[in-house]
């Protein structure tokens, strides 16, 4: 099944986000070998050039590195992955707070509601 | 690097109607390009001229350096027309043999692979297959050629969603940096993620020729949405 | 590429055409055998009628199921995307049609000979003047060429007729009718002229000479014209 891509942002940006989530969630573990660009593109249902662009971006941040003849590998740097996880979570939390504020809740009310939900 | 497709000042009129109006276009190898436009915008006319099936009134078309309609330019193109064009009485096997006989760049192994992955019987006659399967066979033949320029005219129209996934995956896996693909379609949202660039054709002129992500970044919407806006009735 | 096209198409059309030619020859043999046994003259009629029917079926089949189908139907999308120029493609179709026309004519001739083996025996036994035999061969050959010119006229008519997209059938029929009458006229005129020239009734090579020349010229002209017009005016809808 092709990845779920929305129509808002550039495709290569969405590919990067998708891959980051895959890394953070453990689908790709540290040190794992990534499939080839062509296979990944086929899986995602996207243009191979766009996939290549996204992977190069990830390489420049260090999340992924390429060994000349063997392909691309996820970094073994656990700290980097932890930091990425934190920043992704921060984005989600910020989104959550923004939409709750739109509904008219204050910061304290939000914390209460979250506690209630977590205890269910 | 030599451009795969070089079109200069192409015009085609039918009586008083200009189907193509001074069209110029360059395509390099390694790109998958969408040719988008409403009916009557000139997509099919442009494709037929590139393939040498139609004569232009003026302008030049060079495919890998060869004028359109010559043997060398046809050898470089793998074309999937919008309709059935094969003899229904032939078996799949016979058609594969025919392609192998006439085209030097035909990859028989790839063809047989695709036939078996589609669970088709090579000894079946084309006319006994369902419409969806017939279209897949035609696509399989086009994709089994190691051509320089693939031109697909509406490859996923009239095909169920599962088959569309298969076709798009096949297009992606067939990608070569030395070849390019032109996909003419009106099903833009399905095809958009697969494209490098999009060409908008309207009333025989090119209105737009930009990378997909550039359009998304600049216009703040997908190509599909931009298309609906540009061509709003 | 031209050779490749011709070879492939001959193989593909062989089953039906070889069958038709075979039936033609068989007709002659069967009628001949039956004639011998029953001494009726109706078998001559059957042979002739049979040949006439086959002479209509064979070219019709070639032209509609092969020539027109591959150049003027959806199949044209396949034919014209093979790696060859338009001229080579059209030429190959015409050449294959003419090859089968020739083989069929030969079959018809064999059929007639099979039907009247006595005529051959007579020629051999009487040790007929070889010059007469040559004249007969020449006559048959010129008739053959005139037939081929007729086939080429049809092919040319189809080419012209298809220049008018929506009225191609009418255009073809019109063109062929005009050409048909013109050809008849030319042939008769040639015969008349040479007879008038000579004055007596013993025919010689000169009688058919102009028909011989005209046929060859027409065949070449129709061939070149069809190939060039079809190539330049190619317009698949």
């Amino acid at each position: 099944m092709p990845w779920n891509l929305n129509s808002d942002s550039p495709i290569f940006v969405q590919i990067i986000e998708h891959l980051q989530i895959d890394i953070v969630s453990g689908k790709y573990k540290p040190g794992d070998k990534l499939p080839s660009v062509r296979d990944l593109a086929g899986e995602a249902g996207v243009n191979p050039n766009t996939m290549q662009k996204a992977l190069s971006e990830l390489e420049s941040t260090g999340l992924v590195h390429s060994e000349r003849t063997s392909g691309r590998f996820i970094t073994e740097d656990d700290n980097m992955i932890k930091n990425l996880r934190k920043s992704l979570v921060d984005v989600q939390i910020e989104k959550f707070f923004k939409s709750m504020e739109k509904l008219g809740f204050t910061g304290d009310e939000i914390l209460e509601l979250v506690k209630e939900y977590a205890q269910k | 690097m030599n451009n795969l497709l070089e079109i200069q000042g192409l015009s085609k009129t039918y009586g008083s109607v200009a189907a193509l109006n001074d069209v110029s276009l360059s395509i390099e190898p390694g790109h998958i390009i969408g040719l988008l436009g409403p009916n009557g915008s000139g997509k099919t006319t442009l494709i037929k001229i590139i393939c040498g099936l139609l004569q232009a009134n003026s302008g030049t078309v060079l495919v890998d350096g060869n004028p359109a309609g010559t043997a060398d330019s046809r050898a470089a193109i793998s074309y999937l027309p919008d309709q059935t064009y094969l003899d229904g009485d032939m078996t799949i096997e016979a058609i594969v043999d025919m392609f192998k006989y006439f085209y030097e760049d035909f990859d028989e192994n790839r063809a047989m692979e695709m036939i078996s992955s589609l669970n088709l019987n090579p000894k079946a006659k084309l006319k006994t297959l369902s419409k969806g399967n017939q279209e897949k066979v035609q696509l399989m033949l086009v994709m089994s050629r190691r051509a320089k320029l693939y031109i697909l005219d509406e490859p996923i129209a009239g095909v169920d969603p599962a088959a569309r996934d298969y076709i798009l995956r096949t297009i992606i896996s067939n990608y070569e940096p030395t070849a390019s693909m032109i996909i003419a379609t009106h099903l833009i949202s399905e095809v958009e993620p697969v494209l490098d660039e999009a060409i908008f054709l309207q009333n025989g002129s090119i209105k737009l020729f930009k990378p997909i992500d550039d359009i998304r970044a600049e216009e703040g919407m997908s190509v599909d949405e931009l298309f609906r806006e540009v061509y709003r009735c | 590429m031209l050779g490749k096209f011709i070879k492939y198409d001959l193989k593909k059309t062989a089953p039906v055409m070889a069958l038709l030619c075979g039936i033609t020859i068989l007709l002659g043999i069967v009628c001949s055998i039956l004639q011998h046994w029953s001494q009726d003259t109706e078998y001559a009629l059957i042979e002739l009628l049979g040949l006439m029917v086959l002479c209509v079926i064979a070219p019709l089949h070639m032209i509609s199921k092969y020539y027109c189908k591959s150049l003027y139907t959806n199949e044209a999308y396949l034919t014209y995307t093979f790696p060859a120029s338009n001229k080579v493609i059209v030429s190959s179709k015409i050449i294959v049609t003419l090859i089968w026309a020739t083989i069929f004519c030969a079959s018809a001739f064999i059929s007639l000979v099979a039907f009247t083996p006595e005529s051959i025996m007579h020629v051999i036994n009487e040790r007929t003047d070889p010059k007469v035999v040559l004249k007969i061969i020449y006559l048959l050959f010129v008739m053959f060429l005139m037939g081929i010119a007729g086939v080429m006229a049809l092919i040319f008519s189809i080419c012209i007729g298809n220049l008018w997209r929506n009225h191609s059938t009418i255009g073809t029929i019109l063109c062929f009718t005009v050409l048909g009458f013109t050809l008849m006229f030319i042939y008769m005129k040639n015969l008349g002229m040479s007879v008038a020239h000579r004055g007596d009734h013993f025919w010689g090579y000169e009688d058919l000479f102009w028909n011989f020349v005209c046929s060859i010229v027409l065949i070449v002209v129709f061939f070149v014209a069809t190939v060039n017009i079809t190539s330049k005016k190619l317009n698949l809808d």
Side-chain angles (χ1 to χ4, degrees), chain C residues 144-161:
Chain C
F144 164 69
L145 281 179
M146 284 160 70
I148 296 292
V151 171
M152 286 308 301
L154 179 58
I155 287 178
F156 179 71
S157 304
I158 293 171
C159 163
I160 298 289

Side-chain angles (χ1 to χ4, degrees), chain A residues 68-110:
Chain A
R68 207 108 74 78
T69 46
S70 14
R72 284 200 175 83
F73 295 83
I74 310 293
T75 183
E76 314 238 0
D77 186 346
D78 285 321
N79 264 336
M80 187 185 290
I81 297 180
K82 240 190 247 168
N83 287 337
L84 174 64
R85 194 151 176 243
K86 180 92 193 355
S87 65
L88 287 179
V89 164
D90 284 345
V91 168
Q92 288 300 321
I93 294 178
E94 189 179 335
K95 264 200 214 158
F96 171 71
F97 264 79
K98 281 225 168 73
S99 33
M100 290 302 274
E101 276 160 23
K102 242 190 187 167
L103 290 172
F105 291 106
T106 65
D108 286 327
E109 286 173 325
I110 295 172

Side-chain angles (χ1 to χ4, degrees), chain B residues 5-22:
Chain B
L5 184 62
E6 193 69 59
I7 301 181
Q8 292 280 359
L10 192 66
S11 294
K12 172 71 182 175
T13 49
Y14 288 104
S16 55
V17 177
L20 288 178
N21 201 351
D22 198 26

Side-chain angles (χ1 to χ4, degrees), chain B residues 141-154:
Chain B
L141 291 165
V142 168
M143 288 310 194
S144 298
R145 282 196 48 210
R146 296 271 156 257
K148 299 261 182 76
L149 185 63
Y150 296 85
I151 303 181
L152 313 179
D153 198 347
E154 297 289 357

Side-chain angles (χ1 to χ4, degrees), chain B:
Chain B
M1 207 186 296
N2 212 3
N3 276 338
L4 267 186
L5 184 62
E6 193 69 59
I7 301 181
Q8 292 280 359
L10 192 66
S11 294
K12 172 71 182 175
T13 49
Y14 288 104
S16 55
V17 177
L20 288 178
N21 201 351
D22 198 26
V23 169
S24 295
L25 181 62
S26 291
I27 293 181
E28 292 166 346
H31 290 244
I32 302 180
I33 299 168
L35 185 58
L36 317 172
N39 288 336
S41 53
K43 294 194 309 269
T44 314
T45 307
L46 181 60
I47 288 176
K48 284 198 221 168
I49 292 178
I50 296 172
C51 295
L53 303 174
L54 191 58
Q55 316 300 317
N57 291 107
S58 60
T60 56
V61 176
L62 291 175
V63 178
D64 201 23
N66 301 302
T70 55
D72 288 331
S73 77
R74 285 181 175 155
I77 298 176
S78 189
Y79 170 46
L80 180 67
D82 188 10
Q83 53 202 286
T84 45
Y85 60 103
L86 298 172
D87 184 357
D89 281 316
M90 288 177 82
T91 63
I92 297 179
E93 229 171 32
I95 295 177
V96 167
D97 282 338
M98 174 176 69
F99 268 65
K100 190 168 144 203
Y101 179 77
F102 284 110
Y103 292 107
E104 276 178 16
D105 59 17
F106 189 73
D107 187 347
E108 193 184 4
N109 292 328
R110 190 170 160 74
M112 297 320 279
E113 244 178 65
M114 289 174 77
I115 291 175
S116 61
S117 79
L118 288 167
N119 286 324
L120 293 172
N121 176 13
K123 304 219 186 287
K125 285 197 179 181
L126 259 196
K127 63 184 178 187
T128 60
L129 300 174
S130 67
K131 178 161 180 281
N133 276 342
Q134 280 185 20
E135 302 204 9
K136 286 185 199 161
V137 167
Q138 286 184 181
L139 178 80
M140 174 269 295
L141 291 165
V142 168
M143 288 310 194
S144 298
R145 282 196 48 210
R146 296 271 156 257
K148 299 261 182 76
L149 185 63
Y150 296 85
I151 303 181
L152 313 179
D153 198 347
E154 297 289 357
I156 60 174
V159 166
D160 67 75
R164 285 184 193 176
D165 275 352
Y166 175 82
I167 290 172
L168 289 172
R169 254 182 299 129
T170 307
I171 290 175
I172 294 169
S173 67
N174 213 57
Y175 169 83
E176 289 293 333
T178 52
S180 281
M181 249 182 250
I182 298 178
I183 304 178
T185 184
H186 59 271
L187 292 171
I188 301 170
S189 56
E190 307 239 12
V191 160
E192 192 176 332
V194 170
L195 305 175
D196 280 298
E197 289 102 8
I199 299 176
F200 277 20
L201 205 57
Q202 188 177 39
N203 295 329
S205 304
I206 293 183
K207 287 278 177 293
L208 184 78
F209 183 8
K210 254 197 217 166
I212 299 290
D213 277 346
D214 283 4
I215 293 175
R216 287 192 170 204
E218 286 168 31
E219 308 285 340
M221 59 176 96
S222 70
V223 178
D224 182 54
E225 287 160 352
L226 180 63
F227 183 91
R228 285 167 205 256
E229 220 187 72
V230 168
Y231 295 113
R232 201 198 330 249
C233 297

Side-chain angles (χ1 to χ4, degrees), chain C residues 14-15 18 39 68-69 125 130 168 196:
Chain C
Q39 301 296 331
C68 284
K69 190 160 177 238
N125 291 339
S168 56

Side-chain angles (χ1 to χ4, degrees), chain A residues 6-7 9 11-12 38 47 49, chain B residues 30 173 175 193-194 196 213 216:
Chain A
N6 63 40
S7 46
S9 48
I11 296 175
F12 94 99
R38 193 190 296 262
N47 184 293
N49 287 328
Chain B
S173 67
Y175 169 83
V194 170
D196 280 298
D213 277 346
R216 287 192 170 204

